[in-house]
Amino acid sequence: MKKRIMAVALAGMMVLSLAACGGSSAKSEGTTAAAGSSAAEQNAESVESKMDGEGKKINVIAKGFQHQFWKAVEKGAMQAGKEYGVEVSFQGPDNESAIAQQVEYLDAAIAQQPTAICLAALDTQASIGSIQNAMDKGIPIIGFDSGVPDAPEGAIKANASTNNYEAGKLAAKETYALIKDKIDGASDTVRIGVVAQESNSQSIVERTKGFVEAMTELIGADKVSVEGHDSLKKEKSGAKVIIDVGIPAEVKDADGAAVASAILEKSDLIAIYGSNEFAANAIITANEGLDKIGEGKVVAVGFDAGSKQLQAIRDGLFAGSVTQDPVQIGFKAVELAVKAAKGESVSDVDTGALWYNKDNMEDEKIAPCLYE
């Protein structure tokens, strides 16, 4: 009987020893899950454990570093990382045409098994395989800026971005107020130029489309002929106002300036709009040899900010511009990523847009949105 009791006690000690060893191994590995649980459940548990312990990391993958806009987004992302106690890695390709390079960054980020990923996709279709891989690994993705349009259902938990269509409408409303008298008093056809960086990026497409459609509505659809680039063309014979849309074949400064110059050289031009920093800078560069914009001349309006555009507004070359809040875009993207990784319910956040000119550039609500 005594021997039997000792045997039972010894067996119990062995079980405890094995359990202790197993617990130590699970803690150090950080990925051990209960038998029978699915891969998705295991990954979700792994992500949750990261949010409660060490190694919390958010990978933010932007469209590039070609424009100061992305540096302002980075600033906001880093601010959120500090506030929420997570490590933030911010990357972007050399320019906004480098789709393959961005996909490489995305794949490398997924391989690191981060807590979450924030993505502004250059081309969603090119990223589909990578996005699916992130889903399989249980890594939540938050879209920002133009987001990840047409991604697989459930892949993108939420987006932090400007409603670019509404922002384009705001630009049209402010521009129309400046040129209404010229339109109403015109005896001949007048022209409104539009310069856009490209016709693929959803954010730029929406703010270009928002401007064109809102301007058409303000003037009267029966009085407007939309000409130029095929993406928005809607010609109307005998129209009083021509909206002339120009988009360069490649996202290069020289190509953008050439498109802007071709519009500025037209004698019936009364206003011109650049739908992002690249396009606004193209107008400024083209004007250097033409001297067509400014007070008492062609009304120029931009979008975003940057040192050249801000100086053009201070100097009176540009009547004003619409700005997103890039710092808030970066901040809110990381904030959403942290919440999504914790399993909290998240939804899209509109980070807003504001009109600014030389009179309100220093206002406390505007100034933080105007990056150099």
Side-chain angles (χ1 to χ4, degrees):
M1 180 68 177
K2 186 177 180 179
K3 290 180 179 180
R4 187 174 178 186
I5 292 172
M6 289 178 67
V8 171
L10 181 60
M13 291 174 66
M14 291 176 67
V15 169
L16 289 171
S17 177
L18 287 170
C21 290
S24 174
S25 174
K27 185 176 181 180
S28 66
E29 301 255 335
T31 56
T32 302
S37 62
S38 68
E41 289 170 338
Q42 292 178 32
N43 285 316
E45 289 169 6
S46 175
V47 168
E48 185 175 358
S49 69
K50 287 181 183 180
M51 293 310 301
D52 294 331
E54 298 298 325
K56 298 174 291 185
K57 183 174 182 179
I58 308 293
N59 280 71
V60 182
I61 302 172
K63 289 185 174 182
F65 282 108
Q66 187 177 14
H67 306 309
Q68 289 294 320
F69 174 85
W70 298 114
K71 297 188 183 300
V73 173
E74 180 182 16
K75 179 180 178 180
M78 295 304 174
Q79 287 177 356
K82 184 177 181 180
E83 181 168 324
Y84 284 94
V86 298
E87 178 187 349
V88 174
S89 172
F90 193 98
Q91 291 179 302
D94 295 337
N95 59 65
E96 295 183 25
S97 297
I99 295 170
Q101 187 182 14
Q102 189 191 49
V103 174
E104 288 176 8
Y105 281 137
L106 179 57
D107 288 337
I110 294 168
Q112 295 171 20
Q113 287 279 7
T115 307
I117 291 173
C118 301
L119 176 63
L122 286 171
D123 186 327
T124 301
Q125 291 306 309
S127 306
I128 287 293
S130 303
I131 293 168
Q132 186 61 56
N133 188 20
M135 291 179 69
D136 293 342
K137 292 178 180 295
I139 302 171
I141 299 177
I142 297 296
F144 68 97
D145 187 46
S146 59
V148 193
D150 302 320
E153 185 176 354
I156 310 304
K157 301 302 182 183
N159 290 279
S161 61
T162 307
N163 184 324
N164 285 288
Y165 185 83
E166 291 299 320
K169 288 174 63 176
L170 173 61
K173 177 183 176 182
E174 295 292 345
T175 304
Y176 180 73
L178 297 169
I179 62 173
K180 183 177 184 299
D181 290 344
K182 291 184 178 181
I183 293 173
D184 293 342
S187 55
D188 295 318
T189 301
V190 294
R191 185 180 304 266
I192 299 168
V194 176
V195 180
Q197 175 178 299
E198 56 179 309
S199 58
N200 295 318
S201 171
Q202 186 177 12
S203 60
I204 295 171
V205 168
E206 287 298 302
R207 67 180 66 157
T208 306
K209 183 179 179 181
F211 179 90
V212 170
E213 293 187 352
M215 185 63 76
T216 299
E217 183 177 347
L218 287 165
I219 297 169
D222 59 324
K223 301 175 183 178
V224 176
S225 177
V226 183
E227 302 177 6
H229 197 270
D230 290 340
S231 60
L232 290 169
K233 186 179 290 186
K234 194 172 183 180
E235 295 182 341
K236 185 179 293 294
S237 179
K240 182 178 181 179
V241 179
I242 296 171
I243 297 179
D244 192 349
V245 181
I247 301 176
E250 294 187 61
V251 185
K252 295 180 179 179
D253 291 342
D255 290 359
V259 167
S261 180
I263 295 175
L264 285 173
E265 289 174 344
K266 295 177 179 177
S267 60
D268 57 355
L269 187 71
I270 61 170
I272 188 166
Y273 163 66
S275 62
N276 76 332
E277 182 185 357
F278 171 89
N281 287 347
I283 294 168
I284 295 166
T285 299
N287 185 67
E288 290 172 358
L290 298 171
D291 191 27
K292 293 290 293 290
I293 64 175
E295 295 178 11
K297 302 176 184 178
V298 172
V299 172
V301 169
F303 203 114
D304 291 329
S307 58
K308 288 183 69 173
Q309 190 172 176
L310 295 180
Q311 193 59 49
I313 292 174
R314 294 187 188 103
D315 294 341
L317 287 176
F318 269 44
S321 292
V322 171
T323 179
Q324 302 180 80
D325 190 337
V327 175
Q328 276 298 298
I329 289 175
F331 187 95
K332 291 297 184 181
V334 171
E335 182 178 66
L336 287 170
V338 170
K339 291 180 178 180
K342 287 182 176 181
E344 297 179 18
S345 177
V346 292
S347 57
D348 292 354
V349 174
D350 179 5
T351 53
L354 299 165
W355 168 259
Y356 69 98
N357 55 32
K358 65 181 180 180
D359 297 325
N360 70 354
M361 290 175 70
E362 303 303 323
D363 290 359
E364 61 180 20
K365 188 175 181 180
I366 301 291
C369 302
L370 305 183
Y371 57 88
E372 291 286 341

